[in-house]
Amino acid sequence: MSPGLAQAFVAAREGALVGEPLATLEERLGRGLSTARAAWPGVDLDGARFATHLARHLPADSPAEALEALHVADLYLACACAEGLPLAHAAFEARVLPEVHVAVARLKLPPSSVDEVRQLVRQKMLVPGPETPARLAAYPGTGPLSGWVRAAALWIALDLRRQRSNQDVSMEDSTLSLLVDPGDDPELVYLKTTYRAEFNTAITQALANLSPRERNTLRLKYLDGLSIDQLGALYGVHRATAARWVVAAQQALLEETRRLLTERLRLTGSQLDSVLRLISSQIDVSLSRLLRSRID
Amino acid sequence: MACLDESTFMELMLGGLPPERAAEVDRHLDACPTCRRLVAEAVRARTPTGLAEPPALHSPSPTPSVEAVLPRGTAVGRYLVLERLGAGGMGVVYSAYDPELDRRVALKLLRVAALGLEAEEGRAHLLREAQAMARVSHPHVVSVHDVGSFGEQVFLAMELVEAQTLRQWMRAAPRSWREVRDVFLDAGKGLAAAHAAGLVHGDFKPENLLVGARVRVTDFGLAHRAASDTRRAMGGTPAYMAPEQFGPGGHADARCDQFSFCITLYEALYGERPFAGDTERTLVAEMRAGRVRPVPKSTDVPPWLHRLVMRGLEVEPSARHPSMEALLTALQGEPAKRRRWWPRLGGVLALLLSVGITHAVATRGARACAGAADKVAGIWGPEQQRAAEAAFLATGRPFALEAWNSARRTLDAYTTAWATLHTSVCEATRVRGEQPEELLGRRMRCLDQRLAEVAALTRLFAQADHRVVQYAPRTAEQLSPLAGCSDLAVLEAAGPVPEDAASRQLTEDLHAALMEGRMLGAAGRYAEGAARVLPVAEQARAAGNRYGGAEAFLLVAELRDQAGDYRGAEKLVQEAVWAAEASRNDEVAVRASTLAVRITGERLEKYELAHLWQERADAALARMGGDEVLRARLLHNVSRVLAIEGRYVEATERQRQALTLLEKNQGPESLAVADVLVDLGHELLTQGQVDEGLIHLRRALALRERELGALHPDSGQALLALSSAAWVRRDIAEGRRLTHQALQVLEQSLGPDHPMVAYALNDYAMHLLHGSKNDANEALPMMLRGSRIIQSAEGPDSSSAALFTSNLAQVEMSLGRMAEAEHHFREAIAQLEAKRGPEHVTLCSPLHGLGIALQSQGRIDEALPYFDRSVSIHDAQPGDYHKARADLLMDLGNGYLIAKRPRDAIPPLERALALIEKSSHALLRQRGIIRFRLARALWDANEERLRARQLITEALELVKEDRAPGAQKYRENLERWLAEHPPVVAPSR
């Protein structure tokens, strides 16, 4: 056990309290260090440097106890890599870099691009800039290193692709107006052709009146084809909640369209009702068609 | 904000984005389609949800790979891996546990790569195929419960079958041709069922036939996707494939399955495969040449069976049996010996027919969808409506006709909407072909359930008694919304339809019980309803179906609450919340916690507990992303508890929020809005905000009278609420009129022993107290009767009973029975202190009353502390509770005057005067009395004697025109005082 882990830790905290006696802290850090070293045999990072690294990744207002929640072994490897230890680089290469393939597997990149992404990740993670340390030094240790690297790889891959393509996106929201598409219903088609301008204005206006999240939910689901589960994962909520959001947004769109149409069309109550009933019964049929046309 | 940068992206993906940043990101994604696409793509590319985070690097297991054995406890979808059962060319099979349905399943992880397909595409194919398999439900096919993806792989959750493969079965013992034939008859039926559903097996072989208690075919429809060379790589010679499956472009169809079936059957009958050949080339050559090995000499297989198998092995597909059904018919043996199996194949037969007449259906599609109106007519047709109307009117309730009309309107609208939706959903599949049959199926099931609710309701209406009639308009409003049936996302969120018959049956039982329970509740048969639903709820719990169980427990809790069994209801509502939270059934969690607020806070008067339930409800609401109607209901219940606690300001604030939400969501004319208006109006009155309270109460009354009829008990209740406005304004005549009317309506509609009648009796009696002595005589039996009703309905220890006791004492006091009054006031005070604590605002009235009773018995020194305490409790209120402050202050001052402590009397009397002068509702008489009392206090204390005379002069001026009896005497009193206290006495100081 390296002596002075606690001193190094306290020094790096620049006076922030650790909330426990030095001996306890020393023992805690020692335990973390041996766990980490056992996970990466041969990677021999100086104990005090590691303690300093840990201190920097612990928020100033957290007690030393919070160290237990961190992925210490992963932090150890990240720190050793940032310090430029060759064996650490080798371990990273062997055990972490394969995550890049996992991350980008579904992007259907050509093999050459996968290699490019892998090279970019390697370079970014391991090689320090003129002013900045290697990116791995910033790995926070709150989740596993593998997940962190996968997210970074995904970013690099998508960013690369974004730079190389020029998508025309100007018209896409008009597709959402298909949500109130008349389909093949002759009565609705009639109404829609008769009141085309009003319909379009109402829908556009209704979309604009939704909240950003409502619009995003609809687009992510219906334009980008995310499943309810994926939506839930993106927003960190349960699938049932995500489903509710979608329903609520749909309903809001429908109701707003209904309100605006009522204002504009000056239909009698029953006429309007029949139009709207048709629209509501139509809405998800249009959605599935919209969805299908995107998959085909 | 600018486009997403790396660190924001990472936080978004790793879930570390604080809410305010998340909102910012939302705004940016809204404006920037490029970033939004990027995020969507990242989400899609990422490991799907349901996959446990791969083990951290320092854990002993290496980076998970397809081949690695999953450790016990790994989550695959919702399943937990138990142990590895085996592996084949297609993937690995594990036994696993399904915590949601508490059962073991076989989990098959399929390798996309093994099928030689490009990853994403292959996965999509596999998923589609697997979903198709999941639709085949047949006793001789292993059921697929669920399908999903796990990283790169696709998994199938299947029935876990304890059985041998056909190969093991054949090796275990010598089998007669009849035994073999029977096994293949069953297997063939499974295969035929799949064919009828449009599914091809593609890899029928001894390993895929399980022989146990039942014969079952497994591994449908997956392998034939694989290119033949991949398949070879996967496991030996493709000895069971049909010749046309080899080579480029080879694919499987039903005739290939027949060929494979016959090779397998041949092998089972003769112990060896029909075609010789060790390599693919020689094997295919033998097949194409039709060179079947000679039959072993020792065989007893009958020639007809041999011929049948040989026909299935024809190289030319068209030369084989026309279908599996034809083959199976032949397999029965000679016609004379055939066992009848067609009837059992009814489902298959029907499916075949429907395939056969697809064309006819398509052309007649529009008419096929036209049956919705007929369906409705069979359930809510003229005949049913006449029966219901007759039943309603036969109850003889004064509000029966209105209730009937209101319920009929609601049902008419509902069934019209149902028919429209039914037709358009049907046409989307049958006529326009826009939605898959599976979606149609889900929607139709949903619609059928809704119509079943209507049917149950019409049955109930046809046997309506007075309770059914009373609640009919509300019951009709509570039919499940139709929107749920058309909404993809809602249907999707409900999860997969259980595939096996047993769990589907359980779900249907549960649904039926819930519906019956609701109807029994609507008929006021609460105990019966609770008894019907409780066993099903417990059954669901035992089966591990907490999602559905939560709903059932909630319903039982509701029914018990309505039956007045509050403690029983409390226990079950807890059960419902636990089940709902455990199964993430957030909607039920909100509804159950909301009910718990009412039960604990309002019924059982455990306020702190009620607020804890409120927090639970809030949390569940936040989890489900909010729901305005549910929030409004919660606010309404919480507000009622706050009002009971005397926290009126907070209570009104919540009622106002609830009102806004309900007006927006249910419409300003709905009965739910009227309910909130009554409570809000009442709470405003108690705070002395009379004008606004009056507006809400009048609106509530008008709403209820229009929707339910003027003779409906709810209208009676609104009348009663309105009467308290008259009370607060001291408009006794109007109050008497309203309470009397309310009493009549409520007694007629609810019968003489209903608690609502007791409240009406109380309010009427209190108004009578302001009349003559005769009126007070009339009030006494009313109060006694009201008190009795309440004691038996809410318990002798309830706060309501205490309030009745206090009011009974008021009546006794006005009849001069001071000792009895004192006793009853003391009883009420003790009871309220015990129930609601010593500071509760409802104590003001009995404390004040006790003071008066003691004072009237000449015990002024005993009385003073009670007057004082009633004033200080009242002072602690944020508003002028019941506009009683001036009265309490006046009586406190008067007490001091009687006790000859004029100096102490001045401050309360000054405050009372100020209040009365400000009030627009104070009676003339009251304005005179306060002046008289203050004047006496000032004079006796020898303070401002000039002002004292001035006050008396003002008082005289006020009653100058008063012609009421007693006014003359009052004037004389004042004049005498002026005479006896002449201004000649110089003011002090």
Side-chain angles (χ1 to χ4, degrees), chain B residues 89-90 114-115 202-205 222-238 240-241 245 250-252:
Chain B
M90 303 282 300
L115 299 180
D203 193 22
F204 192 90
K205 59 184 178 187
L222 296 163
H224 72 274
R225 284 282 160 196
S228 59
D229 51 338
T230 322
R231 186 115 50 103
R232 257 196 318 282
M234 276 153 36
T237 343
Y240 299 88
M241 280 161 65
Q245 276 175 279
H251 72 283

Side-chain angles (χ1 to χ4, degrees), chain B residues 329-532:
Chain B
T329 315
L331 196 54
Q332 303 282 323
E334 289 88 343
K337 291 182 192 165
R338 273 178 203 169
R339 288 174 298 163
R340 295 178 56 80
W341 59 275
W342 278 112
R344 282 201 288 141
L345 260 175
V348 177
L349 200 59
L351 277 166
L352 285 172
L353 282 175
S354 72
V355 172
I357 59 166
T358 305
H359 179 71
V361 170
T363 51
R364 291 174 48 243
R367 221 193 309 158
C369 290
D374 294 344
K375 275 193 164 193
V376 169
I379 281 167
W380 183 240
E383 198 182 314
Q384 287 86 353
Q385 296 190 25
R386 266 196 303 277
E389 185 176 6
F392 269 56
L393 296 180
T395 62
R397 294 286 136 169
F399 50 86
L401 187 61
E402 268 110 337
W404 161 247
N405 283 329
S406 168
R408 185 179 49 79
R409 276 197 302 276
T410 310
L411 271 170
D412 280 349
Y414 191 87
T415 46
T416 309
W418 187 92
T420 313
L421 192 59
H422 188 275
T423 308
S424 76
V425 167
C426 171
E427 285 177 0
T429 298
R430 292 278 151 72
V431 183
R432 298 197 292 270
E434 284 167 338
Q435 65 185 349
E437 285 280 349
E438 194 253 333
L439 184 58
L440 172 76
R442 268 183 182 229
R443 289 184 163 159
M444 285 304 180
R445 263 197 301 284
C446 179
L447 284 171
D448 285 348
Q449 285 172 356
R450 299 290 191 270
L451 197 61
E453 286 183 34
V454 175
L457 196 58
T458 48
R459 277 200 302 278
L460 176 74
F461 283 176
Q463 304 156 13
D465 60 7
H466 67 98
R467 288 213 55 110
V468 174
V469 170
Q470 181 184 340
Y471 292 110
R474 279 166 202 269
T475 316
E477 272 186 8
Q478 277 160 11
L479 288 167
S480 307
L482 288 170
C485 292
S486 65
D487 222 301
L488 276 181
V490 168
L491 290 170
E492 210 179 321
V497 182
E499 282 299 333
D500 65 304
S503 12
R504 216 166 25 224
Q505 188 60 45
L506 276 181
T507 314
E508 273 163 25
D509 288 352
L510 185 68
H511 192 86
L514 286 174
M515 205 160 65
E516 275 181 52
R518 282 196 195 102
M519 291 308 152
L520 286 166
R525 288 146 70 184
Y526 305 125
E528 214 178 310
R532 169 75 180 87

Side-chain angles (χ1 to χ4, degrees), chain B residues 759-975:
Chain B
Y759 287 107
L761 285 167
N762 173 73
D763 290 10
Y764 185 52
M766 287 302 105
H767 280 93
L768 286 176
L769 287 192
H770 284 257
S772 64
K773 177 99 176 193
N774 273 345
D775 289 339
N777 272 324
E778 194 190 329
L780 186 65
M782 289 189 156
M783 270 321 294
L784 285 169
R785 189 181 141 205
S787 212
R788 263 199 315 275
I789 297 175
I790 283 300
Q791 287 194 9
S792 79
E794 299 188 20
D797 297 333
S798 63
S799 317
S800 306
L803 294 173
F804 270 77
T805 307
S806 172
N807 282 350
L808 175 62
Q810 300 278 5
V811 178
E812 288 163 341
M813 204 157 66
S814 54
L815 289 172
R817 305 182 184 175
M818 292 304 164
E820 286 161 64
E822 181 191 339
H823 170 75
H824 279 133
F825 278 130
R826 287 190 194 276
E827 193 182 307
I829 290 166
Q831 212 166 320
L832 283 171
E833 280 176 338
K835 274 285 173 195
R836 297 182 168 179
E839 308 291 327
H840 198 276
V841 65
T842 45
L843 278 163
C844 286
S845 170
L847 286 170
H848 171 256
L850 180 55
I852 300 280
L854 290 167
Q855 175 188 311
S856 321
Q857 297 175 74
R859 291 148 68 187
I860 188 62
D861 290 338
E862 283 174 69
L864 278 173
Y866 291 107
F867 286 134
D868 194 47
R869 198 173 143 207
S870 82
V871 165
S872 43
I873 290 178
H874 201 282
D875 276 347
Q877 303 309 311
D880 188 352
Y881 175 71
H882 277 297
K883 284 241 177 265
R885 189 164 293 161
D887 284 339
L888 296 178
L889 287 163
M890 270 170 71
D891 286 342
L892 176 61
N894 194 43
Y896 282 124
L897 277 176
I898 296 172
K900 307 259 182 280
R901 292 162 61 180
R903 210 167 284 277
D904 291 328
I906 296 171
L909 291 174
E910 289 280 19
R911 283 183 62 204
L913 176 65
L915 280 172
I916 287 169
E917 289 306 286
K918 261 199 333 218
S919 161
S920 53
H921 300 298
L923 290 174
L924 220 52
R925 179 80 56 88
Q926 203 184 13
R927 297 170 69 182
I929 291 173
I930 181 60
R931 283 176 167 75
F932 188 32
R933 288 189 182 166
L934 181 55
R936 281 165 55 205
L938 288 170
W939 189 279
D940 293 351
N942 200 13
E943 302 254 354
E944 303 185 70
R945 288 192 163 174
L946 272 179
R947 179 162 166 245
R949 281 187 57 87
Q950 166 76 30
L951 286 165
I952 299 292
T953 320
E954 281 170 23
L956 261 173
E957 187 67 20
L958 283 169
V959 290
K960 198 170 58 183
E961 307 290 330
D962 198 340
R963 296 283 163 265
Q968 186 52 36
K969 184 145 186 270
Y970 176 68
R971 276 194 292 270
E972 285 164 13
N973 272 342
L974 293 175
E975 276 156 5

